[in-house]
Amino acid sequence: QMQLVASGGGSVQTGGSLRLSCEASEYANDYYCLAWFRQAPGKEREGVAALHTRRGRTFYADSMKGRVTIAQDNAKNTLSLQMSSLKPEDSAMYFCAARRSTYYGDCSLLLSDYHYWGQGTQVTVSS
């Protein structure tokens, strides 16, 4: 069973940058979609970005498109999310998630599609 451990959250000022990491148990021998979601207080969890582990194809939500980059380090089984130009409305708990895919499968940002979840890491952006 896939296990995910997220880290890298913290507090930054508006316009700042953060890099989140998610260590995943081995997925090299299978096809997975790995994704980042976020949830602000009182709001629903929403997708931010996703990546297909074998094809490397990436998918971004409009909310942070152009300000985030999702990437993987296969040698370390690690997923990252580089965030820049952060705004106070980006403040949220950020979660990494995973689901099995096929080689040609696209990676959605639908909450219900993902079966494995990390514990979340808090990002706070102050004005």
Side-chain angles (χ1 to χ4, degrees):
Q1 180 173 341
M2 170 74 78
Q3 294 183 334
L4 304 162
V5 179
S7 62
S11 297
V12 296
Q13 293 187 328
T14 297
S17 299
L18 274 176
R19 184 175 184 272
L20 307 183
S21 293
C22 178
E23 185 175 350
S25 53
E26 186 173 350
Y27 57 78
N29 296 322
D30 210 335
Y31 308 129
Y32 276 93
C33 288
L34 301 180
W36 287 98
F37 287 77
R38 66 181 183 179
Q39 186 168 19
K43 294 188 177 182
E44 294 184 352
R45 192 171 298 188
E46 62 174 1
V48 175
L51 174 148
H52 191 285
T53 59
R54 296 300 291 271
R55 293 188 297 141
R57 189 175 177 189
T58 57
F59 306 82
Y60 293 96
D62 289 341
S63 59
M64 296 193 79
K65 199 170 187 177
R67 299 189 294 123
V68 297
T69 302
I70 189 171
Q72 63 178 336
D73 181 340
N74 287 337
K76 297 180 180 180
N77 284 347
T78 300
L79 179 74
S80 65
L81 186 71
Q82 179 68 46
M83 305 187 293
S84 60
S85 302
L86 286 165
K87 308 172 184 178
E89 51 264 43
D90 295 322
S91 297
M93 186 72 76
Y94 284 70
F95 299 88
C96 55
R99 69 171 181 87
R100 290 187 183 275
S101 184
T102 62
Y103 184 80
Y104 293 106
D106 285 340
C107 297
S108 75
L109 291 173
L110 295 176
L111 184 68
S112 57
D113 284 350
Y114 289 81
H115 311 302
Y116 306 106
W117 291 88
Q119 84 287 6
T121 184
Q122 179 68 39
V123 171
T124 303
V125 184
S126 58
S127 57

